[in-house]
Amino acid sequence: MNKRKLGTSELYVSEISLGCMSLGNDVEQAKSIIDRALDAGINYLDTADLYGFGENEKIVGEAIKGRRDDLIIGSKGGNNFDAEKEDWSWDPSKKHIKQACKDSLKRLGTDYIDLYQLHGGTIDDPIDETIEALDELKKEGLVREYGISSIRPNVIREYVKRSQIASVMMQYNALDRRPEEEILGLLEKNEVSVLARGPLAKGLLSTKGYEKAQEKADGGFLDYTEEEVLSITRKWKELGSQHRTPTALALQYVLHEPTVATAVFGARTLEQLEDTLSFLESEPMTQLLYSEIKDMTTAITYQKHR
């Protein structure tokens, strides 16, 4: 599998990577999914301390025993949670960030986290204090690189300007193209990579996307109406051909953007994982196809706002 450089770091991540939030609580099933992903060439696993109030990190830690050297681990912190009460609050303080990272290391059963990310953020945070914590974690060797997971352009701009982030994780797919207008140019200029989460738009752009839309399109998706969702997913299924599945097409669209280092997908089952791995057998996306997708989604995304 092709790999892309993460920012200006020495980390190279596979073009598609496994988001572990969906793995569930069965360690053996999680291990079977992770093993298959790694065997297929995926080398980046993404989790967070808040997923399952720490349980997801424990499951990932158990599943990767004996394979730590084969992969790059990303986790996130910034939410101070009480697992017993299943409650949490935002806490970007230096004290919490440093302790949260150390707690994640214990749950994952590893000495270092390759990419540690701030799990959110607001413009009113003590940003310099948070950056100081992340810088110290890196100097101490507990993390190799750090980044943020955010959908807020104003927060992203501050971290680009004031820190040494290697990456920004954000939602990006053919149905949610806001990053193209708001932030990708800035990140490319500053050599900060994107980890694109939600590349399948909650499954609407997957191989079974049209069927999902028929069941769940009620209420639409972002600015799209139910009718628009059904129209796009029907066309999306038609665009998928013998040369690529609709799932592969969705991943190719995201990865056509050079700032994107990896498309982070979730998989609850081996069947879902195998569908995503169809990406590896697909013909490259042509510029004509890419333009067709942009024309199709732009017409529906923005026409109502003109």
Side-chain angles (χ1 to χ4, degrees):
M1 186 182 299
N2 292 332
K3 294 181 174 62
R4 298 188 181 188
K5 189 174 184 179
L6 196 69
T8 59
S9 76
E10 296 181 356
L11 300 178
Y12 285 80
V13 294
S14 50
E15 287 187 322
I16 61 174
S17 52
L18 183 62
C20 296
M21 184 175 70
S22 306
L23 287 177
N25 298 320
D26 186 324
V27 175
E28 288 305 312
Q29 175 154 326
K31 188 177 188 306
S32 67
I33 291 172
I34 288 174
D35 282 345
R36 175 68 181 106
L38 296 181
D39 290 344
I42 289 172
N43 76 339
Y44 178 67
L45 304 180
D46 188 89
T47 182
D49 62 2
L50 191 60
Y51 299 163
F53 299 102
E55 289 303 310
N56 191 257
E57 287 181 321
K58 291 179 183 178
I59 288 169
V60 171
E62 284 293 321
I64 64 172
K65 281 183 177 179
R67 301 200 68 166
R68 178 65 179 94
D69 293 340
D70 298 338
L71 53 89
I72 294 172
I73 295 176
S75 194
K76 314 179 196 74
N79 292 284
N80 200 338
F81 62 87
D82 185 324
E84 291 185 2
K85 295 181 179 179
E86 295 190 352
D87 192 19
W88 71 94
S89 60
W90 178 240
D91 187 353
S93 67
K94 178 179 177 180
K95 179 181 179 181
H96 174 68
I97 294 297
K98 296 199 71 174
Q99 186 59 51
C101 180
K102 292 172 184 177
D103 291 343
S104 288
L105 288 169
K106 290 179 182 178
R107 287 189 289 264
L108 288 164
T110 185
D111 296 327
Y112 64 94
I113 294 172
D114 299 282
L115 178 66
Y116 193 61
Q117 301 157 88
L118 183 68
H119 201 177
T122 75
I123 201 65
D124 297 321
D125 290 345
I127 292 176
D128 288 331
E129 180 182 334
T130 304
I131 292 170
E132 186 176 337
L134 294 167
D135 281 332
E136 288 184 9
L137 288 169
K138 186 174 178 180
K139 288 177 183 177
E140 293 164 7
L142 299 181
V143 307
R144 294 175 68 186
E145 299 292 340
Y146 66 83
I148 63 171
S149 176
S150 177
I151 59 172
R152 296 184 172 98
N154 59 346
V155 173
I156 293 170
R157 291 188 190 100
E158 290 303 311
Y159 276 89
V160 169
K161 180 169 63 176
R162 296 154 69 173
S163 77
Q164 299 300 312
I165 56 171
S167 63
V168 177
M169 174 173 274
M170 64 178 70
Q171 178 166 294
Y172 178 43
N173 56 64
L175 291 180
D176 186 358
R177 293 176 48 200
R178 291 174 294 181
E180 295 175 5
E181 291 193 342
E182 297 175 347
I183 210 71
L184 293 185
L186 173 70
L187 297 181
E188 183 175 18
K189 180 180 178 181
N190 287 274
E191 297 183 276
V192 176
S193 292
V194 170
L195 279 64
R197 64 175 176 82
L200 303 180
K202 296 185 177 179
L204 292 174
L205 301 179
S206 70
T207 299
K208 296 182 178 179
Y210 182 60
E211 289 76 7
K212 286 180 179 289
Q214 289 177 303
E215 296 173 5
K216 301 179 180 180
D218 186 25
F221 179 81
L222 296 177
D223 284 344
Y224 296 92
T225 65
E226 178 181 351
E227 182 180 348
E228 289 168 341
V229 169
L230 289 169
S231 175
I232 288 179
T233 54
R234 183 176 61 252
K235 292 177 183 176
W236 197 262
K237 186 174 183 178
E238 293 169 357
L239 286 175
S241 67
Q242 61 180 338
H243 303 300
R244 64 182 63 79
T245 64
T247 294
L249 181 64
L251 297 168
Q252 287 182 332
Y253 177 84
V254 167
L255 291 164
H256 196 83
E257 168 57 54
T259 313
V260 173
T262 186
V264 185
F265 67 93
R268 289 186 174 84
T269 65
L270 281 169
E271 180 185 8
Q272 290 177 341
L273 175 61
E274 293 298 341
D275 179 43
T276 305
L277 292 177
S278 67
F279 166 82
L280 298 175
E281 301 171 357
S282 302
E283 289 189 1
M285 173 177 279
T286 64
Q287 186 61 42
L288 180 63
L289 181 55
Y290 180 70
S291 298
E292 184 178 352
I293 291 170
K294 294 193 76 166
D295 289 343
M296 178 179 73
T297 55
T298 298
I300 293 178
T301 305
Y302 300 113
Q303 65 181 353
K304 62 171 69 69
H305 302 300
R306 288 174 184 161

